[in-house]
Amino acid sequence: MVEIDLNRVDEIIERYKGEEGVLIQLLLDIQSEFNWISREVIARISERMRIPKSQIYRIASFYKAMSLNPVGRHIIQVCLGTACQVRGAPKILDRTEENLKIKEGETTSDMRFSLRRVNCLGCCAMGPVVVVDGDYHGKITPAMVEEILEKYE
Amino acid sequence: MPGVRSKGDLEGLRSEILMKRDPNKPYITLCSGTACRATGSDTVAAAIQNELEKQGLTEEVGVRRTGCHGFCERGPIIVIHPEEICYLNVTPEDVPEIIIKTIKGKEIIDRLLYTDSSTGERIVHERDIPFYKYQTRLVFGDNLRIDPTDIESYIAIGGYQALTKVLHEMTPEEVLEEVKKSNLRGRGGGGFPTGRKWETTKNAPGEPKYVIVNCDEGDPGAYMDRSIMEGNPHRVLEGLTIGAYAIGSHQGFVYVRQEYPLAVTNLGIAIEQAREYGFLGDDILGSGFEFDVKVHRGAGAFVSGESSALMNAIEGKVGEPRPKYVHTSESGVWNKPSNLNNVETWANVPLIIDKGAAWFNAIGTERSKGTKIFSLVGKVNNTGLVEVPMGTALRDVIYKIGGGIPGGKRFKGVQTGGPSGGIIPEEYLDSPVDFDELTKLGSMMGSGGMIVMDEDTCIVDIARYFVDFLCDESCGKCVPCREGLKRMREILDGIVAGKGREGDIELLEEIANVMKKASLCALGTTAANPVLSTIRYFGDEYEAHIKEKRCPALVCKELISYYIEPEKCIACLRCLKSCPEGAIEGEKRVIHVIDQTKCIKCGICFEVCPPKVGAVMMISGKPVPPPVPEAERVIERRGGERR
Ligand SMILES: Cc1cc2nc3c(=O)[nH]c(=O)nc-3n(C[C@H](O)[C@H](O)[C@H](O)COP(=O)(O)O)c2cc1C
């Protein structure tokens, strides 16, 4: 699990000082740096920016790109855009879920993998597509899933 | 770089840029959009750099990484200038040969060219490849010619000419009039006349006024907005600035989703460079007009692409729609008049100013002018981004450009309009594609997703897919949308699981009608389209699921079983070894049998059974035959009948 350095959070908050309507941008910056947004971070933002915690939770839980749970060492994205759907992506997601014994949106208990379904990565020619830590694996079949996962310790 | 202050300055700069270029100097363009990066464009770029250094050619040969060329099926794509030799599916291993043979030796490598599958003919130039030949790439074509991170490459092809013309030769009213006369309609979904929208914001009381680019692109089957933003961001900025001038706005926003990192980066670079060259800022091109742009990253919510929801998101709030009786063009961001247009809409504007409304009106159909970019994906040979004049027949897009359906399969339907659209069956393939025709067919233009489906696609499953997507994406603020979608999902989940009942279809239609009339925003009012259009055209598939518990396309997991045909099985152990559940029983020379109680229907056995054996099959709507009696399971080694 990535520990969140609150000093770093302060630095990010500093970037947006005095600007209006920046909460989403701020949370996105934190999300992309730490891959999740912890309770402590929300408390800190609330205190520094004088925004009620409830409002921050509301935003962080509304938007797909923000996660309130810590993520594993590797992030698996299974594309379920329409093109991948038509080419059999649900079977890929099923296989991955069965293999890791978690559902999409969850993280394995050993913190090795977090599994997400995403809507269209825009590389439909490769579909069905699975992206692990930014590596694209295209034209995936259910039988290939295990081998791909094994590459990531 | 001194700022550009006048038309003369821009012309001077342009000829200076062109002078610096030697038209005979060889250079390589490499497609580097997101799709090509996924297939290895970065490693090809590194290999090119490496090889050029090795050959001592870094000075003599230019390299330009461009945005998406659209032919994603065959990426990464390389074009070698000045001859314009086009190589497809290039790998790093091909690079040394390309440099030595083609760049140095002026020799063409046949293997890397496009081969016409019917004639076997090899095609050298990108423009002669059927995928490109039948397109009209007015908006998208410049992607091939520019490096999106270098404003000078945009200026070199005539970029910012339209803005200069507008600021120095036209009044805001004249600009507005031109756009109105062009009959440009919004490319973001609804097809609303752009000029009229601009006029509303222009005339609305309240200052400041805002102009906004919608690059949220939430449709899960479309990626043209991303490709324009990644490959040609200046074109969008130029259009936006022209719109700002016409409307009287001094502040613009670009709403672009965070999931598009390359688009965010290239846009950021473009804005910086535009400021530096004087195309954005206090006194643009010396005209006294002041305008600047802020980027707002979207955080991944489909509904936030809706106009009033997007205004909320820009204000830093939850991106939920506002009540619709207030138009955002009159009261948008911070309740100020705000004009929102889609990326592709804005990208059309410089073109209209450059070439005139009359020129634009000559392209397209009676009520839909210009071109439209589609993302042609799914079960089609040439996946990619396709730009055609409005009114082009669906059949031409799918067959002439898309190269038809792979694997000799039969076409079943084409989905347009994303989650708000519908599926159009074969009998309407000759319909011209424009805003009104697609609506007539019970679908819509939407953002331009075009997902081709073949006989192996289950229509009910696709309808369920969209309802499921929308159910997740509905903000939950209004009841018809929130509850209607949930109930529709329940019913469809039942149907695909073999629990469909008489009356389900009527119930779906009833819910759909309420949602259409009573939802707050267009997410809800159009959410039933995927269901209604499929009931209309593919009612028999619903019937098969409900009455016969049969999935004709053999997709719905609960309605199919895997079965090994004893006559075909060669007892090779392949399926047995790869079954993750150990549900297949047998041994060498003993016919394999699937234990139906253990099978989780993952389909691996079907996949690994060698095609020429083809023993594993899917069964739907009828019982699985009983397993072969033990005594008959042993395969005798008879003179090669079975290998
Ligand atoms: C649920 C929903 C999602 C939308 N998403 C987008 C989007 O991602 N991009 C877009 O340009 N328009 C989207 N729209 C349409 C916008 O509301 C708006 O009509 C459009 O951006 C206006 O631009 P145009 O007139 O140039 O088409 C969406 C509409 C709805 C109802």
Side-chain angles (χ1 to χ4, degrees):
Chain A
M1 179 168 63
V2 190
E3 279 303 326
I4 300 189
D5 173 6
L6 286 178
N7 291 325
R8 184 72 196 116
V9 172
D10 287 342
E11 281 171 33
I12 296 173
I13 293 173
E14 205 54 39
R15 275 190 223 154
Y16 292 98
K17 264 275 157 69
E19 275 187 77
E20 234 181 317
V22 293
L23 187 53
I24 296 173
Q25 306 304 302
L26 172 66
L27 290 170
L28 278 174
D29 284 352
I30 292 169
Q31 171 74 34
S32 51
E33 192 150 330
F34 303 104
N35 274 324
W36 74 296
I37 298 164
S38 68
R39 193 188 285 254
E40 292 75 23
V41 169
I42 289 181
R44 189 68 148 234
I45 297 173
S46 169
E47 188 188 306
R48 288 285 176 116
M49 312 267 296
R50 309 194 147 275
I51 298 173
K53 274 190 212 164
S54 60
Q55 206 173 314
I56 305 173
Y57 270 111
R58 172 132 160 76
I59 289 192
S61 58
F62 179 84
Y63 288 106
K64 278 247 158 66
M66 299 172 192
S67 167
L68 290 167
N69 295 313
V71 288
R73 294 193 295 284
H74 306 289
I75 299 175
I76 307 169
Q77 297 176 307
V78 180
C79 180
L80 268 111
T82 320
C84 285
Q85 168 79 18
V86 168
R87 292 185 179 189
K91 277 192 178 145
I92 309 299
L93 181 62
D94 282 353
R95 192 82 284 277
T96 315
E97 289 182 339
E98 280 150 9
N99 190 288
L100 298 176
K101 309 213 165 29
I102 52 171
K103 292 277 167 209
E104 56 99 1
E106 295 176 354
T107 298
T108 55
S109 55
D110 60 359
M111 297 306 283
R112 184 169 160 205
F113 288 113
S114 291
L115 178 60
R116 289 181 185 157
R117 64 176 275 187
V118 292
N119 297 319
C120 198
L121 293 159
C123 41
C124 309
M126 298 169 80
V129 180
V130 171
V131 181
V132 189
D133 298 347
D135 302 337
Y136 287 74
H137 303 272
K139 304 231 151 107
I140 301 294
T141 63
M144 288 156 73
V145 168
E146 188 169 343
E147 201 183 314
I148 292 172
L149 297 182
E150 273 168 9
K151 287 193 218 153
Y152 301 87
E153 244 330 295
Chain B
M1 175 67 224
V4 182
R5 312 273 310 158
S6 66
K7 194 173 172 181
D9 277 3
L10 182 67
E11 273 162 16
L13 175 62
R14 186 166 170 222
S15 41
E16 205 179 296
I17 296 166
L18 292 176
M19 290 255 285
K20 272 191 288 189
R21 289 193 186 162
D22 170 1
N24 297 317
K25 175 176 167 176
Y27 73 95
I28 305 172
T29 59
L30 169 63
C31 181
S32 302
T34 294
C36 275
R37 284 183 193 229
T39 46
S41 158
D42 285 340
T43 51
V44 172
I48 292 174
Q49 211 47 50
N50 207 338
E51 190 62 29
L52 288 178
E53 273 164 31
K54 216 160 98 188
Q55 301 284 336
L57 288 172
T58 39
E59 288 301 310
E60 286 85 69
V61 181
V63 181
R64 182 182 302 158
R65 297 195 69 179
T66 69
C68 177
H69 294 204
F71 198 10
C72 310
E73 189 72 41
R74 305 298 299 274
I77 301 171
I78 272 185
V79 180
I80 292 157
H81 302 261
E83 299 87 354
E84 295 188 22
I85 301 162
C86 172
Y87 290 148
L88 305 168
N89 292 121
V90 176
T91 64
E93 291 71 47
D94 297 325
V95 168
E97 193 183 346
I98 294 173
I99 308 269
I100 292 165
K101 280 206 182 139
T102 309
I103 299 272
K104 280 177 128 178
K106 300 286 167 205
E107 186 188 324
I108 289 173
I109 306 167
D110 278 352
R111 164 173 59 85
L112 298 171
L113 294 176
Y114 179 88
T115 312
D116 191 302
S117 57
S118 49
T119 62
E121 186 200 352
R122 292 189 193 274
I123 297 174
V124 176
H125 299 119
E126 206 167 34
R127 59 177 179 274
D128 299 328
I129 296 173
F131 177 81
Y132 293 106
K133 199 163 74 181
Y134 300 107
Q135 296 190 44
T136 306
R137 296 158 66 93
L138 302 179
V139 175
F140 202 54
D142 287 344
N143 270 26
L144 318 185
R145 301 163 65 202
I146 60 170
D147 171 352
T149 61
D150 175 13
I151 192 171
E152 294 202 352
S153 71
Y154 181 65
I155 294 170
I157 60 162
Y160 288 111
Q161 231 165 258
L163 179 64
T164 316
K165 178 170 164 187
V166 161
L167 293 183
H168 289 291
E169 293 165 26
M170 293 170 86
T171 63
E173 290 69 28
E174 283 168 347
V175 177
L176 178 65
E177 208 43 48
E178 197 67 20
V179 172
K180 273 170 75 181
K181 271 200 307 212
S182 77
N183 294 309
L184 174 66
R185 293 172 68 177
R187 293 341 192 205
F192 192 83
T194 304
R196 256 175 49 206
K197 199 193 272 184
W198 287 16
E199 193 168 38
T200 308
T201 304
K202 184 177 173 64
N203 294 337
E207 289 288 335
K209 299 184 195 315
Y210 299 109
V211 286
I212 307 166
V213 182
N214 192 343
C215 188
D216 191 42
E217 199 161 56
D219 172 356
Y223 59 106
M224 68 288 292
D225 292 348
R226 159 206 283 210
S227 296
I228 296 173
M229 202 53 112
E230 284 178 2
N232 200 350
H234 285 289
R235 177 81 167 258
V236 182
L237 291 176
E238 185 178 1
L240 182 68
T241 313
I242 292 170
Y245 175 72
I247 291 167
S249 160
H250 304 288
Q251 175 67 57
F253 293 100
V254 183
Y255 187 87
V256 50
R257 51 168 47 209
Q258 163 90 350
E259 290 97 324
Y260 285 1
L262 188 60
V264 174
T265 307
N266 286 359
L267 172 65
I269 296 171
I271 291 174
E272 280 302 315
Q273 292 183 345
R275 283 185 191 137
E276 191 187 322
Y277 280 69
F279 301 116
L280 285 177
D282 288 343
D283 176 20
I284 298 176
L285 292 163
S287 68
F289 179 64
E290 181 185 339
F291 179 68
D292 209 346
V293 180
K294 234 189 205 167
V295 177
H296 187 102
R297 286 163 298 151
F302 176 62
V303 72
S304 297
E306 192 276 337
S307 54
S308 64
L310 189 142
M311 308 288 152
N312 276 337
I314 288 183
E315 292 176 17
K317 300 190 195 126
V318 164
E320 286 176 351
R322 300 170 178 173
K324 254 292 146 85
Y325 51 85
V326 192
H327 289 290
T328 50
S329 44
E330 290 167 4
S331 173
V333 180
W334 290 297
N335 299 322
K336 300 295 178 195
S338 305
N339 178 86
L340 174 71
N341 283 118
N342 167 264
V343 173
E344 195 182 332
T345 314
W346 288 117
N348 267 291
V349 170
L351 209 62
I352 290 168
I353 298 296
D354 253 344
K355 306 204 173 180
W359 169 85
F360 194 76
N361 269 298
I363 307 160
T365 59
E366 176 75 35
R367 298 196 55 236
S368 305
K369 300 298 183 189
T371 58
K372 177 77 192 88
I373 308 175
F374 293 97
S375 63
L376 184 64
V377 299
K379 299 289 187 68
V380 63
N381 275 316
N382 299 331
T383 293
L385 294 178
V386 170
E387 182 177 350
V388 289
M390 295 276 189
T392 305
L394 277 169
R395 187 185 300 279
D396 288 345
V397 176
I398 296 168
Y399 286 90
K400 272 195 184 159
I401 298 171
I405 318 298
K409 297 276 182 179
R410 236 187 46 235
F411 172 87
K412 184 183 264 182
V414 56
Q415 208 280 346
T416 72
S420 312
I423 303 180
I424 297 165
E426 187 161 15
E427 56 194 291
Y428 295 108
L429 266 185
D430 291 308
S431 306
V433 184
D434 73 8
F435 288 107
D436 310 303
E437 279 297 322
L438 290 178
T439 309
K440 245 193 266 166
L441 292 172
S443 184
M444 62 185 270
M445 179 78 82
S447 52
M450 206 178 254
I451 295 99
V452 182
M453 301 175 178
D454 69 1
E455 55 189 289
D456 294 339
T457 312
C458 172
I459 294 295
V460 186
D461 178 65
I462 294 297
R464 193 206 58 87
Y465 163 80
F466 280 117
V467 169
D468 183 51
F469 171 83
L470 290 166
C471 214
D472 277 356
E473 297 292 344
S474 169
C475 73
K477 190 165 169 174
C478 75
V479 180
C481 177
R482 183 183 68 225
E483 295 306 317
L485 279 166
K486 279 221 183 81
R487 299 291 85 80
M488 284 213 288
R489 179 165 71 178
E490 252 168 39
I491 295 168
L492 289 165
D493 275 347
I495 296 176
V496 299
K499 296 181 193 125
R501 286 174 304 201
E502 249 346 279
D504 274 357
I505 294 183
E506 292 72 19
L507 192 53
L508 283 170
E509 288 172 331
E510 195 184 327
I511 297 173
N513 275 328
V514 176
M515 290 178 62
K516 220 183 215 171
K517 293 203 179 97
S519 297
L520 180 62
C521 82
L523 188 149
T525 56
T526 61
N529 283 352
V531 178
L532 293 178
S533 78
T534 49
I535 292 176
R536 171 167 162 195
Y537 296 124
F538 302 94
D540 52 333
E541 282 201 35
Y542 281 85
E543 297 285 333
H545 282 75
I546 296 172
K547 293 199 177 129
E548 302 165 45
K549 310 297 171 206
R550 178 172 66 89
C551 175
L554 301 171
V555 169
C556 297
K557 221 168 148 177
E558 325 272 331
L559 295 182
I560 57 167
S561 309
Y562 288 88
Y563 170 68
I564 301 174
E565 275 192 276
E567 299 77 35
K568 288 190 181 162
C569 178
I570 56 165
C572 67
L573 301 176
R574 278 199 186 83
C575 61
L576 191 147
K577 280 190 187 148
S578 36
C579 176
E581 299 296 307
I584 301 177
E585 196 251 331
E587 52 193 276
K588 211 145 196 185
R589 287 211 293 284
V590 175
I591 290 172
H592 304 346
V593 174
I594 299 174
D595 180 344
Q596 299 293 335
T597 58
K598 284 192 192 161
C599 176
I600 56 164
K601 299 173 188 171
C602 67
I604 291 183
C605 52
F606 183 82
E607 182 193 329
V608 299
C609 185
K612 58 183 173 198
V613 176
V616 181
M617 54 185 287
M618 288 183 264
I619 295 181
S620 183
K622 49 182 187 233
V624 179
V628 251
E630 277 314 308
E632 292 163 32
R633 283 182 61 187
V634 179
I635 303 178
E636 306 288 345
R637 279 209 256 192
R638 286 164 305 180
E641 195 180 309
R642 289 185 191 179
R643 284 181 307 116

